[in-house]
Amino acid sequence: MTPHWAALMYHATPARHEDADYFAVPAPALARQLTWLRERAIAGRSLEAVLDAGAESHGVAITFDDAHRSNYDVAFPLFAEAGMSATIFVVPAWVGRTGYCTWSQLRELQAGGWSIQSHTQTHPFLSTLDAAAVTRELVDSRREIEDNIGAPVVTLALPNGDWPRRRFRHLLHDSGYRHIATSRWHANGDAERRRGVFGRYTVRRGTMPEAFESMVRQLPGTLSRESLRLSTLSLVRSALGVRRYGALRRYLVERRAAAPAAGMTPPP
Ligand SMILES: [Zn+2]
């Protein structure tokens, strides 16, 4: 059995703490996290590089959802300085919009060793879609990214952590995806590799250094508290239904203030 390894999930990475919403990690915190990894000789790499590396040297997989412009402006130089790379999950319908990366920025990231993968075409709740619509989200995004980047798309990050209905899940594989990145809070080992379905730990503005260390090192204490918070989220989601839940999430994420209720929001 190979040792378990962690995948981390980031969203926006603004330069200043004041510009960081609930799921954002501002530059000073991100820089500290990369320094912490580097000082311990823990390699931060794309999910695909970690999977290709085999059993011996997993390090930690680092992923960014939504392809925020700040990932290019702020995270990319910090990663280059640290000698690290990451996977960025792109929503083609958002590329070039205010606040999001352009294709030419994404090509620069790829040239810098980053892996450019899919987060669906329009970021829907996949469980609300029929088979044809799920297929469009999966296939259109893969093609558009491959056409613009010129490298294979093999991984899908589920938007809002939401799976297609069970009877449509074969469409993920049928549409060319080998790996699924979820928002579930767990480490990855042989079983995840066999299934091609990977857990990720959310790093956010409020992630304290000891929580970050627990994620990377698989220390139980902080992880179980944060995990409890996230299981509360899925209960809230079941109770509200995904549409009302999505509206609540948008409302909370768009508020800049760190209201305690914002602890109830799932990763976008
Ligand atoms: Zn997202």
Side-chain angles (χ1 to χ4, degrees), residues 46-53 86-87 89 115-117 154-155 179:
S46 69
L47 177 62
E48 294 70 30
V50 167
L51 291 171
D52 286 346
T87 298
F89 290 110
S115 174
I116 319 299
Q117 301 293 324
V154 293
T155 309
H179 317 303

Side-chain angles (χ1 to χ4, degrees), residues 22-168:
Y22 181 78
F23 283 110
V25 176
L30 181 62
R32 278 196 301 276
Q33 290 161 0
L34 295 181
T35 300
W36 186 90
L37 291 173
R38 197 164 51 168
E39 284 173 357
R40 284 152 190 82
I42 300 172
R45 288 178 293 187
S46 69
L47 177 62
E48 294 70 30
V50 167
L51 291 171
D52 286 346
E56 298 315 312
S57 58
H58 278 127
V60 60
I62 301 189
T63 68
F64 290 86
D65 280 18
D66 307 335
H68 292 272
R69 168 68 188 249
S70 54
N71 299 156
Y72 171 83
D73 288 339
V74 175
F76 185 36
L78 291 175
F79 272 65
E81 200 187 317
M84 296 187 194
S85 59
T87 298
I88 187 162
F89 290 110
V90 178
V91 179
W94 294 353
V95 170
R97 284 194 194 171
T98 307
Y100 295 92
C101 290
T102 64
W103 287 117
S104 112
Q105 290 164 347
L106 291 168
R107 281 191 288 273
E108 272 188 64
L109 290 175
Q110 197 224 5
W114 287 40
S115 174
I116 319 299
Q117 301 293 324
S118 173
H119 197 28
T120 72
Q121 186 67 16
T122 67
H123 207 280
F125 282 93
L126 289 173
S127 66
T128 64
L129 303 184
D130 64 20
V134 170
T135 302
R136 274 198 304 279
E137 288 290 337
L138 301 175
V139 172
D140 291 359
S141 58
R142 185 169 58 72
R143 288 202 184 127
E144 192 167 343
I145 296 167
E146 288 180 346
D147 286 352
N148 280 283
I149 301 297
V153 170
V154 293
T155 309
L156 180 85
L158 297 171
N160 316 294
D162 185 47
W163 285 91
R165 279 171 239 167
R166 197 165 288 278
R167 65 183 183 280
F168 299 151

